Each structure stands twice: as structure tokens, then as C-alpha cells.
Amino acid sequence: MKALVLREYRRFAIEDVPVPELQPDEVLVRVRACGICGSDVHGMDGSSGRRIPPLVMGHEAAGEIAETGRTGRGWRKGDRVTFDSTVYCGKCWHCLRGEVNLCDERRVFGVSCAEYRRDGAFAEYVAVPDRILYRLPESISFEQAAMVEAVSVAVHAVGRTPLAPGSAVAVVGAGMIGLLVIQVLRAAGCGEIIAVDLDGERLEIARRFGATSVLKGDGADPAGAIRGLGPGRGVDAAFEVVGVASTVKTAVACVRKGGSVTLVGNLERSVELPLQSVVTRQITLIGTCASAGEYPACLDLIASGKVNVTDFISATPPLEEGGQWFERLYAREKGLVKVLLRP
Ligand SMILES: [Zn+2]
Ligand SMILES: [Zn+2]
């Protein structure tokens, strides 16, 4: 089968590789669309240590079942599916509590690091354990389904956050995940949704997706400006979807006493924390990672039109052009959001 192989850091080749052999509990998925993730783009130069070549990357995929393993479990050839980007064991302490995103044996498709290597979906076929498969509603395209992982990050983050109908919320950072968080908050019935970003175009999109007000975050006191737009006491919850010191500070400073800050972004490994402000105002800090079982809910949100993913898809080139699209994303070409490769 054809696969896009990372041969060396920043060098790809289309190669003919063997079709994966199936374990009894696996199915073979014919990949129809697979998204290039930011972690693939950052990882391909070796900086993350999680894309050691040679490797077939790709963990945001959808396709149809070409073959089922021995156990099968109700899946049939031709079924349209997507699958979790993470293979969890289903047996460890966390998995048994339903926290599959925290699995001790967590393996991400298309990642190779010191602990493991697992080829991903930038290939014609990928072997997938049937416990992580999800059936696609008929109205969802493979391209839309390949966006479900990103939606699940937003849905999980919102689910971790204490919110009530009518809550006032700030979303700091209106990149793709921030914009998805805004849409999920709107679907969840939040009152005021204040979007903050440095980019005016993104803020316009934020408004279209449900932000009730938007703020260019380049002023001297963005947190004060957020309070000015929402309840003067501060918002009930803030989502930090960037992951640098200044935006974490803004998120902490804009919530009311007793409010919460959900930390989604993590560009920086470590940031300074306004400790006294968090302690004396009794702020809850919430970390959130990937998702844990939210895929069916996300597929419903996409199918019902409550969450628009189509607008994020910048291009759907064939797999053969993968290398050049990786370079364009690496160069941060303006206007490119999500590129889906079609094997
Ligand atoms: Zn990803
Ligand atoms: Zn586990």
C-alpha cells in the first residue's frame, strides 16, 4: 500500500509498504481523509522527540472498514468510521474509571518516541482496535469526520468546566480549538461569550460562531477590558487556549472570585502563575487533555450543524502532495488552518 513516510526529519517520501497485519480485535480501515495536526508539523523537525523517523504520521482520520479481525464485534466491511487518535488499553486503573485519555499505556497513532512506535493514517490503510471505532452518521463526510478529534478536545474542555445556563465566559485565544470551544459553549447555552485574540480576522469568525463580544488582546489591560465587556465582577469561567504566560495571566485575572480557569493551551512548558491572585480569590484551575469518550457527542454536534468544522478545512490534497503541504504549514503560511490529506 501507499504511505507517506517521514524518512528523516523534514523529509517525506511516498513509499510502498506492507498492509498492516490485523490483531484479532482490530479492523483494517481504508483511510479516506486524515488531518495534519499541529503536533505533526512541530514534531517533524525532531523538536518534540515524538516523531522519530522512519514513521507514518497521522492520527485525525476517517474512512471505511476494508476488513475485520477475528472477533469483529459487529463491524462490517464498508462501514464508515472514525476512530480515537489514542489507543487506550481498556484495562488499567484509569481506563476502568472511564478516564481513557489518562491511560497508563496510551499510544497515539502516528507517534514514535522513546517508549513506543505506532504507525498512523497517512497511508491507504491503518489497523485500528475495534474498541476505539465510531460509526459515522450518514450526513457526515469523511472530511468532517476527520475533524472530530479537534471537536472532542473542545467538548472535553467544556465538560470539565463548571458552567450553568447563562454563565459568562471568556475564551482567550481564537485559533481553531478556541473557535471550537466558542461553538460548543454556544451549543451548551452559555450567556455571554467573550472572545480574545490578537488577530482581527479570527475575532470576526469568533463572532460568527457565537461570541457575543470580541476583544483585541493587545491593550495594556486585557483582563480589565474583559471585565468591562461582561459582568464587572469578572466572568464565571475562562478558557486559556494559547498556553503562554501573558494569556494565562489574562485568563486568571478576568474571572470573578470563585471562578474557574480551564487550561487548554500549552505552547510553553512552564509559565509564571499569579499565585496569590489564584489563592486569595479561590480560583479553580482545571487542566484538560484530549478527550475521554466524547466522540459520539461530537459527531452529533457536527451532524446537527451546531458545530461547524467545514470552515476550518483549508485544503484536501492527495496524499502524494503531503510533503509540500507539511512544509507550507511549517512555514506558517497565512490562511492555512486544517489540511486534510486524501490517501
Ligand atoms: Zn492532533
Ligand atoms: Zn489504560
Side-chain angles (χ1 to χ4, degrees):
M1 68 169 184
K2 227 169 28 185
L4 178 70
V5 182
L6 181 69
R7 260 291 133 210
E8 294 163 25
Y9 290 124
R10 290 186 70 180
R11 196 174 71 75
F12 290 91
I14 294 285
E15 293 181 7
D16 200 28
V17 303
V19 173
E21 275 181 38
L22 293 185
Q23 300 296 317
D25 66 343
E26 287 181 336
V27 305
L28 192 66
V29 174
R30 171 75 179 91
V31 181
R32 293 299 181 189
C34 182
I36 300 179
C37 176
S39 64
D40 296 327
V41 177
H42 301 310
M44 75 159 173
D45 67 0
S47 53
S48 71
R50 289 176 58 80
R51 298 292 189 281
I52 302 168
L55 174 70
V56 178
M57 298 197 275
H59 57 261
E60 305 173 354
E64 56 214 321
I65 293 180
E67 198 185 318
T68 55
R70 218 166 351 103
T71 53
R73 259 184 266 193
W75 296 100
R76 288 221 224 117
K77 194 176 160 181
D79 285 348
R80 300 167 74 250
V81 293
T82 185
F83 49 90
D84 206 311
S85 57
T86 301
V87 182
Y88 47 83
C89 76
K91 296 175 199 149
C92 72
W93 190 82
H94 291 287
C95 279
L96 293 176
R97 285 161 54 99
E99 300 166 344
V100 295
N101 55 333
L102 306 180
C103 172
D104 291 330
E105 301 292 323
R106 187 170 188 259
R107 302 270 191 271
V108 181
F109 281 102
V111 166
S112 67
C113 52
E115 300 81 49
Y116 70 90
R117 156 189 312 277
R118 175 138 202 160
D119 275 336
F122 290 140
E124 280 180 276
Y125 297 97
V126 63
V128 179
D130 57 11
R131 65 180 174 278
I132 66 168
L133 281 177
Y134 298 93
R135 198 176 298 278
L136 298 188
E138 247 169 60
S139 60
I140 288 192
S141 67
F142 292 125
E143 287 78 13
Q144 286 173 307
M147 300 292 293
V148 75
E149 194 225 17
V151 177
S152 77
V153 169
V155 168
H156 189 67
V158 171
R160 300 255 309 135
T161 306
L163 294 169
S167 286
V169 179
V171 178
V172 183
M176 184 180 70
I177 299 293
L179 290 167
L180 288 168
V181 167
I182 289 167
Q183 297 189 63
V184 174
L185 287 169
R186 178 181 59 182
C190 275
E192 274 170 275
I193 304 172
I194 302 164
V196 187
D197 202 278
L198 296 174
D199 183 325
E201 267 173 56
R202 286 175 169 190
L203 290 175
E204 275 319 300
I205 302 171
R207 205 187 278 282
R208 190 150 52 77
F209 281 163
T212 51
S213 44
V214 300
L215 175 75
K216 207 141 185 222
D218 54 1
D221 178 19
I226 294 168
R227 285 166 177 268
L229 288 169
R233 64 179 174 274
V235 294
D236 301 302
F239 289 80
E240 203 289 333
V241 204
V242 185
V244 301
S246 60
T247 47
V248 170
K249 196 173 144 204
T250 298
V252 169
C254 76
V255 297
R256 63 165 166 80
K257 285 184 274 186
S260 65
V261 176
T262 303
L263 302 165
V264 187
N266 59 106
L267 272 179
E268 298 282 354
R269 210 172 275 260
S270 167
V271 296
E272 198 178 82
L273 180 74
L275 179 65
Q276 289 184 343
S277 173
V278 170
V279 174
T280 59
R281 297 192 306 124
Q282 201 167 290
I283 307 302
T284 303
L285 299 182
I286 299 163
T288 176
C289 173
S291 66
E294 283 96 344
Y295 271 41
C298 296
L299 291 168
D300 284 347
L301 285 169
I302 298 171
S304 66
K306 285 182 180 155
V307 168
N308 172 330
V309 291
T310 311
D311 286 6
F312 297 114
I313 302 173
S314 309
T316 58
L319 187 69
E320 287 78 0
E321 294 177 15
Q324 71 202 61
W325 285 94
F326 260 94
E327 280 303 328
R328 290 173 70 171
L329 289 162
Y330 192 79
R332 295 169 173 274
E333 187 177 311
K334 207 170 157 41
L336 283 187
V337 186
K338 183 59 78 178
V339 174
L340 304 176
L341 299 181
R342 286 180 296 109

